[in-house]
Amino acid sequence: DVPELRALIGEVAAEQLERSGSDDPRGVSAALRVCFTRLMKSEKKFFVDQLNMLVKRISQEAAEGKDTSGSNGELLLRLHSQYPGDIGCFTIYFLNLVRLEPGEAMFLGANEPHAYLHGDCVEVMACSDNTVRAGLTPKFIDVLTLCEMLNYTPAPSSSKILPAAQSQLDPHVYLYDPPVPDFTIMRIEIPASIKLYLISAMESASILLVIQGTAVGTSTAAASEMSLRRGSVLFVSANESISLHLSSPDGMLLFRACCLL
């Protein structure tokens, strides 16, 4: 539906994608791989010309009051203003656009392309020896490695949403437990009515991030008291607990990255 993108990937690849039905996920994946690879390998002058044509068309339609949502017009123009002439502006047509509300989370497996657009989030990654980029960056783009390694399996954004489960041991703790053993996230919400709270010991080391509130922390592993406020980051050793003496009138919000052994 975006003629400028169709020109970049070519009629053969576009028709292959159109012919691949939803009942054949392997066929869709193969067609997506061909289309994305054709896009990323297109000559710079060609894709810049097509991108300029697309931006001009969307800008004119927006000025005339037309609906540009079918071409993700608002997002395209914003990205192009931030990264003019960047091939990453075309990658939005291969991705789901996801808006997360406060407290919501999503999990992305290895080799799944993603782009963070705006807002604040807590992000945790498994150990990795590479970051391969596709666009919207001034850094190097390794096109061959990128196109070869990506997971092209289509999926709705709803399948990536990771719900929070309230802990049975502590009603102030909410768990985001992804389908991998590498890490778990805990959201700890301490109400203002509680002035003394215990960060419980775990068998694994963990990292504690303070988002809201102030407190003084004490621990058997620390030589002195720790002053905690928004932006404070704390490394918690395995089998170490921390007592928080809250001093803020609005309670505290913390996130804890750990590994459930």
Side-chain angles (χ1 to χ4, degrees):
D1 296 333
V2 182
E4 297 83 1
L5 174 63
R6 193 181 185 97
L8 284 175
I9 64 177
E11 283 297 320
V12 174
E15 291 174 1
Q16 179 184 351
L17 181 59
E18 288 173 335
R19 287 196 304 269
S20 58
S22 57
D23 56 341
D24 180 19
R26 294 182 63 182
V28 176
S29 296
L32 283 172
R33 176 188 289 271
V34 171
C35 289
F36 188 80
T37 302
R38 288 291 302 272
L39 168 67
M40 295 304 297
K41 289 186 176 181
S42 58
E43 294 183 4
K44 183 172 183 177
K45 185 181 184 307
F46 186 35
F47 82 68
V48 169
D49 288 344
Q50 293 298 322
L51 179 57
N52 289 337
M53 291 170 59
L54 174 60
V55 169
K56 181 179 179 181
R57 177 172 65 82
I58 296 298
S59 298
Q60 289 178 343
E61 291 178 357
E64 296 169 0
K66 296 181 179 179
D67 181 13
T68 63
S69 59
S71 299
N72 269 344
E74 182 180 352
L75 176 59
L76 172 78
L77 296 181
R78 176 154 56 88
L79 293 181
H80 187 261
S81 69
Q82 297 170 342
Y83 297 94
D86 194 303
I87 198 169
C89 294
F90 278 111
T91 62
I92 63 175
Y93 301 115
F94 290 87
L95 304 175
N96 294 303
L97 180 59
V98 184
R99 291 181 175 87
L100 291 177
E101 297 297 328
E104 290 187 328
M106 66 187 305
F107 172 75
L108 295 165
N111 299 330
E112 292 186 352
H114 55 278
Y116 164 78
L117 297 175
H118 63 91
D120 294 323
C121 68
V122 174
E123 180 182 28
V124 178
M125 291 177 59
C127 292
S128 173
D129 60 357
N130 63 10
T131 298
V132 184
R133 302 170 182 87
L136 304 180
T137 175
K139 299 179 181 179
F140 174 69
I141 300 176
D142 188 341
V143 173
L144 294 179
T145 300
L146 172 75
C147 295
E148 182 62 29
M149 69 181 287
L150 284 185
N151 176 6
Y152 294 93
T153 304
S157 58
S158 58
S159 68
K160 306 297 180 182
I161 301 300
L162 185 66
Q166 190 172 27
S167 171
Q168 297 180 348
L169 302 176
D170 186 342
H172 306 303
V173 174
Y174 298 83
L175 298 173
Y176 300 90
D177 194 16
V180 292
D182 304 75
F183 56 80
T184 297
I185 292 289
M186 295 181 178
R187 187 177 88 240
I188 306 173
E189 296 182 353
I190 310 173
S193 59
I194 295 180
K195 297 303 179 184
L196 180 62
Y197 181 82
L198 181 68
I199 302 290
S200 59
M202 301 184 62
E203 293 182 342
S204 77
S206 59
I207 298 173
L208 198 66
L209 171 65
V210 180
I211 299 296
Q212 174 186 316
T214 56
V216 174
T218 58
S219 165
T220 55
S224 60
E225 293 183 340
M226 299 164 287
S227 178
L228 302 178
R229 59 180 59 85
R230 175 179 171 86
S232 296
V233 179
L234 206 61
F235 176 80
V236 184
S237 303
N239 302 314
E240 176 189 4
S241 61
I242 297 176
S243 296
L244 296 181
H245 300 262
L246 279 71
S247 57
S248 55
D250 300 323
M252 290 194 77
L253 174 61
L254 309 99
F255 283 89
R256 187 179 191 180
C258 57
C259 180
L260 298 180
L261 301 176

